[in-house]
Structures are given as C-alpha cells and as structure tokens.
Amino acid sequence: MTAIPQLWQTMTAGWAAGDAALFASVFAADVDFVNVRGEALSGRDAVEASHAKLFTTAYRGTALSASVTLIRPLAPELALVHATSEIAPAGVLTHAQAIVRDGEIVAFHNMIPKGPAA
C-alpha cells in the first residue's frame, strides 16, 4: 500500500514528458477508465492512445500535479484510492477515485468537481 502514491508520481512524470506510454503504465492491461468527460475507456492501450492525443493537442506543454488524499485498504493488495490533481497552466482541477490491486490501477474514474454541495 505504501507504493500507491508512486503510481500518481509516475503519471505526473509521464504527463510532464508528454509520454503517454509512461502515463498509462500504471494501469492494468484491462483497466476500466472513465475520463473527466464521462467517456469510458477499456484497457491500458485505450488510455495510452487517448492521452497521446491530449499530449499533442489541448494539453501539450502542460504539467500535472497530483496528490493522493485517501488510501482505504479493502483486502491484502487491494485498496480504494482518492486523488486530486491540477493541470497547469490550464487551471483544470480533478478528483479521481481508483481501485488499486497488486500495484496497478484496475479501475479509475476521474471528474471535474462542480463545487461544494448546496
């Protein structure tokens, strides 16, 4: 469980380098990934392909910072994880909920928070 923050550090390193393969390397081959637009991607290859497009278009030259805010062990080698991130200079803030199993992310749901509940 102590290696979980390293997964997000690897994502930020991949983002900074514009390296979609490095970014996607933390995800299981069969990951279920939902991006901030609510689009469901199936598998690491799809995550890599979608981020390769982002890194050469809308988010070219941007930086991702991320912070793991919750690690809730569910079973040995299985945890629920919450993380927040920011894309600079775009000013995009996100919140992700993930399931990490055996050192890789097997499910990931990212979203842009709407703000505090009324």
Side-chain angles (χ1 to χ4, degrees):
M1 301 290 169
T2 59
I4 287 174
Q6 180 61 43
L7 298 171
W8 273 262
Q9 291 172 6
T10 298
M11 277 192 270
T12 61
W15 192 290
D19 184 339
L22 179 59
F23 178 87
S25 69
V26 300
F27 298 98
D30 62 347
V31 66
D32 291 306
F33 185 106
V34 178
N35 67 24
V36 295
R37 293 180 303 277
E39 299 164 336
L41 305 173
S42 184
R44 181 187 310 125
D45 291 343
V47 172
E48 181 179 340
S50 71
H51 283 79
K53 290 177 187 172
L54 289 176
F55 296 160
T56 59
T57 58
Y59 291 114
R60 181 184 178 121
T62 61
L64 177 73
S65 60
S67 178
V68 172
T69 59
L70 171 78
I71 300 173
R72 178 178 294 163
L74 301 174
E77 299 304 317
L78 182 69
L80 170 70
V81 179
H82 287 194
T84 58
S85 64
E86 180 177 3
I87 302 168
V92 177
L93 302 173
T94 69
H95 175 80
Q97 184 173 37
I99 299 293
V100 175
R101 182 183 65 219
D102 297 327
E104 61 185 7
I105 300 169
V106 298
F108 188 87
H109 190 158
N110 206 14
M111 55 82 108
I112 298 173
K114 188 174 184 176

